[in-house]
Amino acid sequence: MKRFFLLLIIIALTLNLKAEDGYRLWLRYDKIDNNIILQQYRNAISSIHFYGSSPTLIAAKNELLQGLRGLLDKKIPVANTISNHSLLVYTKSSSVVALHTGIDYVALGKEGFVIRTILAEQKNIIVITANSDIGVLYGVFHFLRLLQTHQNIQKLFIKTVPNIQNRILDHWDNLDRTVERGYAGISIWNWHTLPDYIDQRYIDYARANASIGINGTVLTNVNADALALTKDYLVKVAALANVFRPYGIKVYLTARFSAPVEIGGLKTADPLDAEVQNWWKQKADEIYQYIPDFGGFLVKANSEGQPGPQSYGRTHADGANMLADALAPHNGIVMWRAFVYDVRAQKSNENFASPENKIDPNKETENIASPDRFKHAYNEFKPLDGKFRKNVLIQVKNGPIDFQPREPFSPLFGAMPQTPLVMEFQITQEYLGQGTHIVDEDPLFKEVLSIGTYEKGKGSTVAKIIDGSLEEHTVSGMAGVSNIGNERNWTNHPFGQANWYAFGRLAWDHDLTSEQIAEEWIKQTFSSDKHFIDVAKKIMLMSREALVNYMTPLGLHHIMGTGHHYGPAPWVSNAGRADWNPVYYHRADSAGIGFDRTATGSNALIQYKTEVSNQWNDVNTCDEKYLLWFHHVGWNYKMRSGRNFWDELCFKYYSGVDSVKWMQQQWNSLKNFIDEERFQQVKMFLAIQEKEAVWWRNVCLLYFQTFSRMPIPAIYEKPDHTLEYYKNLKFPYAPANPS
Ligand code: GCW
């Protein structure tokens, strides 16, 4: 019996299939399981020379030593003399540059780095070098990634500089540790035990972010609480900033516009009031005393009940500029969100001192007949182009409505040449299956970044607007709403980690392909087995399209349940505002379905450059994936497949579900390739995903059928419940209701 167990242990060790709880993310540093590659690496790295001892360089050195020790299963000595196969790590200013490596440091800027094999004094040496300490840290992480992904390191010549300056995670974390639209437990910021207790998780959070180039974190929810700006919290924020600083990560806070009233005792928060301006100046000075490298403010104003300058009859520029002036002496920035559609706020002149002023989405209030919500942000912000201070960036969600599975790009990209625009993506999967669906978001991010806006003719992609290269802005940014919580594996779904990873990698280099990013992540996170990679990559790369098909195909949007946004509810018509209702968006009737945004309808298409609107204006040439975003089409409308619209809709919904079933089969075939723990987690989540995909399909088809009056083609399995049954479902357990 004893022998049997011994044998089992030996088998388990050889297969290296130990239990994994996912905590280590993509920084696993387990011994390289390919002996030939392992030997090559061991030969190529005989000793390490590390120059410098700043906190950042110490972090880099520790990471390198720890990483190599794990990957090579060997302690690499730190030496003082350079020998054959040394690994040299240094910044430009260190004396080792006497080696004449011919590196062009000017091109590297503040954060870029070079990893290069050189032959010096007859020795084969690998150098990792940069202008700055943080550049070196990024280089070290990149080097470790090369090993983790089994790249050839014989003749390295890598030079990389980030495309975008501010690469930021936005946490929608409330001070009570609930997380708005969070599906991975509570907030990782434990305000109660800070500043004295430094959870190891804070350090690992910083390591993970630095490894993919993220250099900023907004700690608090955009639905902001002014308390975060009080001294009690600032000392806690400072403690986090101290942990993150060596990893090149700046902290930011959300600024509640009414803070001067709520915590400052002033009667108004009017941005043109001298006392208010002074209050913010003093507040900024105070913040910088605690956090000398504080990044700045993120602001949601006059949106969904949040206070803002319009509450005082002022413009978004008045509000943003006031904060920008307070931060400017300290080099801070303001990221002012363009997510506005709040007609009510413009009209009122309320004092927002109390949280009761928040709009309660569950309360029936007056049904404001608003114009197309799609057009609102553009109408509001375009006229302000050129009116913002230099340290204001306008943060725009990728699409005009709200992080739907597929949206056309926001028309603000391409419409504000004088203003740096921050791209806001949502990493957390509010509308993408929340915490339980595999949806690789990278193809969604890429789809938006690579599309042409025609701001300056051909080639004016969204990416070039964001990175500032099109208009030569001196500041740029990309923000991702975080999907991290205190679950052991950070994101709850093991594949949620991939979206955090992809966001960081793309913010650094938006030319990376989805295939590359997925493959890197799989190798580091799971396995370098070719079959495993191929299958997992296929699952990832098709997952977003599968979700679009089983949730909102052909341009459907915003048809989810009210409040929690969990599951389908296309029939809802009684929400607090007209434009919170699914019926407002799909407009299904006996004639057809979809939102006419051409000249015969809301004319939102006019907000795009003609080259773009021409692509979508004509129902016969409009890309079918955007069809219902722009057109109300008849049920019998002939699609390019030859099917009529109704049959095409059925086809899409059924193929979405089929894709999930395919994903399940594929995943099951991977059972023996990875640890049982994560294998089972993903398997269970896929079962939920399948159940929910069927639910979405059945609900949507049964509901839309009440308008089309056409049968679901007989080749498909019939929905197993009635529409009434689905309408009566309740979800008291659905996570993350809005705060
Ligand atoms: O997507 C919607 C969410 C809200 C969120 C808001 C926003 C933070 O449902 O929960 O609030 O967008 O982006 O401000």
Side-chain angles (χ1 to χ4, degrees):
M1 197 65 174
K2 250 190 198 161
R3 268 211 213 134
F4 175 70
F5 278 119
L6 200 68
L7 194 70
L8 275 188
I9 291 170
I10 292 170
I11 293 174
L13 285 178
T14 352
L15 292 176
N16 203 14
L17 298 186
K18 51 183 187 243
E20 297 251 12
D21 62 13
Y23 180 81
R24 294 183 299 161
L25 297 161
W26 47 87
L27 300 174
R28 284 161 62 253
Y29 304 149
D30 286 341
K31 182 178 169 188
I32 287 169
D33 57 6
N34 177 319
N35 280 333
I36 300 175
I37 295 177
L38 177 65
Q39 207 42 54
Q40 278 169 7
Y41 289 170
R42 283 180 173 168
N43 293 343
I45 309 164
S46 62
S47 63
I48 299 176
H49 300 260
F50 213 101
Y51 298 84
S53 58
S54 70
T56 298
L57 290 174
I58 289 173
K61 185 172 174 180
N62 290 341
E63 196 72 36
L64 189 61
L65 292 176
Q66 185 198 334
L68 291 179
R69 172 114 212 209
L71 289 162
L72 307 189
D73 193 24
K74 183 181 166 195
K75 197 166 175 211
I76 308 292
V78 178
N80 293 325
T81 51
I82 299 172
S83 52
N84 202 15
H85 301 308
S86 287
L87 175 60
L88 251 65
V89 189
Y90 62 96
T91 56
K92 183 190 171 206
S93 59
S94 105
S95 55
V96 81
V97 286
L99 265 180
H100 296 303
T101 51
I103 285 161
D104 174 12
Y105 281 96
V106 178
L108 293 183
K110 218 172 66 192
E111 297 178 304
F113 59 85
V114 160
I115 304 178
R116 197 166 154 183
T117 314
I118 55 165
L119 194 66
E121 298 156 9
Q122 258 98 67
K123 293 173 190 115
N124 234 320
I125 295 167
I126 298 175
V127 301
I128 303 177
T129 186
N131 284 316
S132 62
D133 296 354
I134 189 64
V136 165
L137 179 68
Y138 290 145
V140 162
F141 275 117
H142 194 99
F143 183 69
L144 289 169
R145 176 159 54 236
L146 296 177
L147 306 189
Q148 286 175 285
T149 54
H150 298 194
Q151 306 298 308
N152 186 338
I153 60 165
Q154 296 302 313
K155 287 200 180 95
L156 291 169
F157 194 0
I158 294 166
K159 179 191 139 230
T160 162
V161 176
N163 292 136
I164 290 164
Q165 267 169 35
N166 298 294
R167 306 173 296 277
I168 300 182
L169 279 190
D170 287 3
H171 289 263
W172 284 358
D173 294 16
N174 298 312
L175 299 183
D176 64 3
R177 294 191 76 184
T178 54
V179 179
E180 179 145 356
R181 312 306 179 184
Y183 311 100
I186 57 172
S187 170
I188 58 174
W189 320 130
N190 189 338
W191 297 112
H192 182 57
T193 56
L194 279 164
D196 303 311
Y197 184 79
I198 299 298
D199 192 329
Q200 176 63 31
R201 200 180 265 266
Y202 303 149
I203 301 163
D204 292 327
Y205 168 86
R207 288 176 53 236
N209 279 325
S211 77
I212 49 175
I214 288 172
N215 65 1
T217 174
V218 183
L219 301 175
T220 48
N221 191 356
V222 286
N223 289 337
D225 187 332
L227 279 184
L229 302 176
T230 58
K231 183 179 167 229
D232 288 345
Y233 279 90
L234 292 179
V235 292
K236 296 168 188 286
V237 172
L240 288 174
N242 292 342
V243 174
F244 301 158
R245 190 167 297 112
Y247 293 90
I249 297 166
K250 282 187 181 179
V251 300
Y252 298 76
L253 289 172
T254 44
R256 184 155 161 95
F257 202 78
S258 47
V261 177
E262 291 163 356
I263 58 169
L266 301 191
K267 294 229 155 41
T268 176
D270 181 352
L272 297 194
D273 181 291
E275 258 192 296
V276 173
Q277 293 171 352
N278 195 38
W279 186 87
W280 280 108
K281 280 209 163 85
Q282 283 181 14
K283 185 45 77 183
D285 293 348
E286 183 191 353
I287 294 175
Y288 281 90
Q289 272 170 22
Y290 291 105
I291 311 145
D293 54 354
F294 179 67
F297 293 136
L298 169 64
V299 188
K300 171 174 177 178
N302 294 120
S303 167
E304 300 186 330
Q306 290 297 304
Q310 293 178 332
S311 322
Y312 304 95
R314 313 299 184 194
T315 68
H316 284 284
D318 293 329
N321 290 342
M322 170 191 62
L323 295 178
D325 288 342
L327 294 167
H330 310 280
N331 298 320
I333 58 169
V334 174
M335 290 165 289
W336 190 272
R337 295 176 89 226
F339 178 64
V340 298
Y341 61 99
D342 210 348
V343 184
R344 201 187 313 238
Q346 286 170 26
K347 291 189 183 148
S348 66
N349 191 11
E350 298 143 302
N351 175 344
F352 285 97
S354 81
E356 280 91 69
N357 284 310
K358 283 186 181 172
I359 294 170
D360 175 356
N362 299 315
K363 211 166 69 192
E364 277 227 39
T365 52
E366 78 188 284
N367 226 9
I368 295 172
S370 65
D372 186 357
R373 173 171 159 189
F374 186 117
K375 295 166 75 176
H376 204 105
Y378 177 102
N379 288 345
E380 195 90 68
F381 278 87
K382 169 132 182 86
L384 299 177
D385 190 27
K387 301 217 162 77
F388 294 100
R389 299 281 192 269
K390 286 225 151 7
N391 56 337
V392 174
L393 298 93
I394 299 302
Q395 182 158 316
V396 184
K397 288 188 181 184
N398 60 275
I401 301 292
D402 195 9
F403 301 133
Q404 294 298 294
R406 170 165 282 125
E407 296 202 23
F409 69 95
S410 162
L412 275 172
F413 298 116
M416 296 187 69
Q418 299 181 66
T419 314
L421 301 181
V422 178
M423 168 63 74
E424 181 175 308
F425 284 128
Q426 196 181 42
I427 307 174
T428 190
Q429 295 172 231
E430 176 179 0
Y431 304 102
L432 282 80
Q434 304 200 338
T436 54
H437 296 209
I438 294 186
V439 181
D440 178 27
E441 293 172 334
D442 187 75
L444 185 163
F445 301 159
K446 289 286 292 184
E447 180 175 294
V448 180
L449 290 169
S450 58
I451 201 158
T453 66
Y454 287 84
E455 176 175 317
K456 280 189 168 176
K458 251 192 147 159
S460 308
T461 58
V462 171
K464 284 193 178 156
I465 289 168
I466 296 310
D467 71 19
S469 61
L470 196 66
E471 300 292 346
E472 296 180 12
H473 290 304
T474 51
V475 56
S476 58
M478 186 152 133
V481 180
S482 156
N483 60 349
I484 302 167
N486 77 337
E487 284 283 350
R488 180 70 192 155
N489 72 356
W490 304 82
T491 54
N492 198 25
H493 198 308
F495 276 77
Q497 297 177 359
N499 293 328
W500 176 9
Y501 183 85
F503 169 78
R505 295 289 286 137
L506 272 185
W508 181 283
D509 179 358
H510 51 59
D511 287 331
L512 291 171
T513 65
S514 301
E515 287 80 4
Q516 263 171 291
I517 295 178
E519 185 162 332
E520 270 181 14
W521 178 78
I522 295 166
K523 283 182 176 168
Q524 295 171 88
T525 308
F526 284 112
S527 163
S528 53
D529 178 274
K530 190 169 169 331
H531 178 69
F532 182 88
I533 297 166
D534 286 350
V535 175
K537 200 161 70 176
K538 266 195 222 140
I539 292 177
M540 285 175 74
L541 294 180
M542 56 107 69
S543 59
R544 186 272 185 134
E545 208 56 45
L547 173 112
V548 170
N549 286 341
Y550 64 72
M551 280 191 180
T552 51
L554 301 169
L556 279 167
H557 51 283
H558 208 293
I559 54 172
M560 68 289 159
T562 307
H564 48 63
H565 295 172
Y566 170 65
W571 51 79
V572 171
S573 62
N574 65 348
R577 295 174 46 127
D579 54 10
W580 282 347
N581 287 305
V583 296
Y584 169 98
Y585 293 96
H586 63 67
R587 303 191 169 215
D589 55 23
S590 58
I593 180 170
F595 200 134
D596 180 3
R597 291 191 166 103
T598 68
T600 53
S602 79
N603 209 12
L605 274 164
I606 204 168
Q607 298 186 333
Y608 292 102
K609 295 272 180 283
T610 345
E611 291 89 335
V612 177
S613 55
N614 280 348
Q615 296 168 26
W616 296 332
N617 235 325
D618 182 347
V619 65
N620 294 312
T621 55
C622 178
D623 190 333
E624 288 181 350
K625 63 181 190 246
Y626 298 125
L627 197 58
L628 304 188
W629 272 99
F630 298 118
H631 299 278
H632 191 76
V633 300
W635 297 109
N636 271 311
Y637 175 78
K638 190 80 170 245
M639 299 293 282
R640 258 153 252 163
S641 63
R643 284 183 277 267
N644 66 37
F645 183 83
W646 169 253
D647 285 351
E648 184 77 4
L649 192 68
C650 294
F651 170 75
K652 288 285 181 190
Y653 272 113
Y654 276 88
S655 59
V657 171
D658 286 348
S659 303
V660 178
K661 292 188 170 145
W662 181 88
M663 282 156 67
Q664 283 182 293
Q665 280 164 8
Q666 294 296 307
W667 184 257
N668 288 343
S669 79
L670 298 177
K671 180 164 168 49
N672 296 322
F673 288 80
I674 58 162
D675 52 284
E676 187 65 8
E677 195 170 347
R678 290 183 298 170
F679 172 78
Q680 287 299 345
Q681 281 177 326
V682 174
K683 187 178 152 102
M684 290 187 283
F685 280 133
L686 274 167
I688 298 177
Q689 184 166 359
E690 195 242 351
K691 204 163 70 183
E692 296 186 350
V694 170
W695 172 34
W696 270 91
R697 178 196 74 192
N698 289 354
V699 164
C700 293
L701 288 178
L702 288 171
Y703 171 75
F704 291 129
Q705 191 177 36
T706 64
F707 299 97
S708 79
R709 309 242 162 242
M710 292 160 92
I712 295 174
I715 46 164
Y716 302 126
E717 65 180 4
K718 298 262 164 298
D720 49 3
H721 293 289
T722 62
L723 184 57
E724 268 329 289
Y725 165 87
Y726 287 119
K727 278 186 168 178
N728 286 324
L729 295 178
K730 299 269 178 298
F731 317 101
Y733 43 79
N737 276 304
S739 58

